[in-house]
Amino acid sequence: MILVTGASGNVGSALVTQLRAAGVPFRAAYHSLEKTRKAAADGIDAVTVEMSDPATVQPALAGVSKVFLLGAMSPGQTGNESNVVEAAVSAGVSHVVKQSLWRADEELTPIARLHRPVERMLETSPLSWTFLRANFYLQAFSGNWAETIRSGNFFASPLIRARIAFVDAEDIARVAFRALTEDGHESKAYALSGPEALTYEEAATVLSEVLGRPIAYRGMSNEQALSSLAEAGMSSFHAKALVEVCNVYLDGGAETVTSTVEDVTGQRPRSLREFATAHRQRFE
């Protein structure tokens, strides 16, 4: 039995779909009771877990041998995920696949500094582990920026001039699936990217070609970004973390294309063009 935490997120929901299609026994953990009930009504073994409360974590691990670990990004993320690791050790779990972050071991950004202590905890625990250190998600285009692409033919973010090797969350989930259902992935830290590295201007050109209308990229200053994100309802913590990530990768560091997704799954990862074509309705 596999426990999937973060089951409603980009990677977690894709992993749930893949496990279900393959007939692999799993339990999906949600933070929201409403989402738990909806999943249960759809025939999924679903539980509500509040990672900050170990009393809700232990029952979710009953009969579980492997865990996909990802807590919601927050100031308490490190502690929340650590609670799950401690409970997994007590419950006799054998393997944890931790969703992590590109270059997390270098702790370059505030988000990496949330993930790395949990990686270190797993490295020194009796559990076997796999880390999925994923680059920037393609889902930013179909999620955060879809509305302005639809209504204004542009997307805006804190300025990054360099190329980024964006990766599809579904490809990350396919690697997670293999790491959870096969041997040979223990003590591996997988750097996950898509098949190409693009600047945001080049990404805008791809979107323009797919959608048949001109799409522009607007790089914002730190001040513009913080103001815009606050107006959009993003918390100060999340907005400042996002801006710092973009500052770190302003002139490079996220452009490396790895073969890991194809090496592990036997399938080439999806490009932005393929992603935008598959999700075209999100932009129209």
Side-chain angles (χ1 to χ4, degrees):
M1 172 74 78
I2 295 167
L3 178 67
V4 179
T5 65
S8 63
N10 286 320
V11 178
S13 60
L15 178 57
V16 163
T17 298
Q18 292 172 23
L19 290 169
R20 195 176 192 187
V24 176
F26 72 93
R27 180 174 297 137
Y30 300 89
H31 179 72
S32 157
L33 179 58
E34 179 183 354
K35 290 179 180 177
T36 303
R37 287 173 173 166
K38 183 177 180 181
D42 194 32
I44 292 173
D45 180 356
V47 291
T48 304
V49 170
E50 175 51 70
M51 289 186 180
S52 63
D53 180 6
T56 71
V57 177
Q58 201 69 44
L61 289 166
V64 166
S65 60
K66 298 182 181 181
V67 174
F68 174 76
L69 177 59
L70 178 60
M73 181 184 155
S74 72
Q77 181 179 351
T78 302
N80 292 343
E81 291 189 3
S82 297
N83 286 339
V84 177
V85 173
E86 290 176 357
V89 172
S90 298
V93 168
S94 62
H95 189 74
V96 172
V97 175
K98 171 166 168 47
Q99 178 64 45
S100 190
L101 191 75
W102 187 253
R103 298 174 66 179
D105 54 322
E106 299 174 60
E107 300 185 78
L108 299 174
T109 69
I111 305 176
R113 291 189 287 273
L114 292 172
H115 285 279
R116 182 56 188 155
V118 184
E119 289 188 346
R120 284 196 293 266
M121 184 179 185
L122 284 164
E123 288 167 348
T124 58
S125 78
L127 302 165
S128 64
W129 51 266
T130 309
F131 302 150
L132 309 183
R133 293 178 179 158
N135 211 323
F136 287 58
Y137 288 13
L138 282 172
Q139 274 65 22
F141 293 96
S142 62
N144 301 350
W145 300 325
E147 182 179 350
T148 60
I149 292 172
R150 282 195 305 269
S151 62
N153 294 322
F154 77 94
F155 62 96
S157 79
L159 179 66
I160 296 182
R161 291 187 286 261
R163 287 185 167 87
I164 299 169
F166 299 98
V167 62
D168 187 350
E170 290 189 20
D171 288 320
I172 302 169
R174 289 193 295 109
V175 176
F177 178 94
R178 293 300 186 102
L180 288 162
T181 60
E182 300 175 345
D183 294 328
H185 302 283
E186 297 82 4
S187 302
K188 299 288 182 64
Y190 288 135
L192 305 179
S193 82
E196 61 190 352
L198 302 170
T199 64
Y200 278 127
E201 287 83 0
E202 290 169 339
T205 297
V206 171
L207 291 173
S208 300
E209 292 170 355
V210 170
L211 300 177
R213 64 182 196 273
I215 306 297
Y217 164 61
R218 298 178 184 175
M220 297 183 286
S221 68
N222 290 351
E223 294 74 18
Q224 289 172 328
L226 290 171
S227 175
S228 175
L229 293 169
E231 288 177 8
M234 184 177 287
S235 73
S236 174
F237 169 80
H238 285 82
K240 288 178 180 178
L242 174 60
V243 167
E244 188 167 342
V245 168
C246 293
N247 289 343
V248 166
Y249 292 113
L250 174 66
D251 291 310
E255 71 279 4
T256 301
V257 174
T258 71
S259 62
T260 312
V261 171
E262 187 167 5
D263 292 342
V264 173
T265 70
Q267 245 179 288
R268 181 178 176 276
R270 187 181 273 177
S271 67
L272 173 59
R273 185 178 300 277
E274 292 162 337
F275 178 85
T277 300
H279 297 278
R280 183 171 182 146
Q281 73 281 0
R282 294 281 297 148
F283 307 112
E284 297 180 332

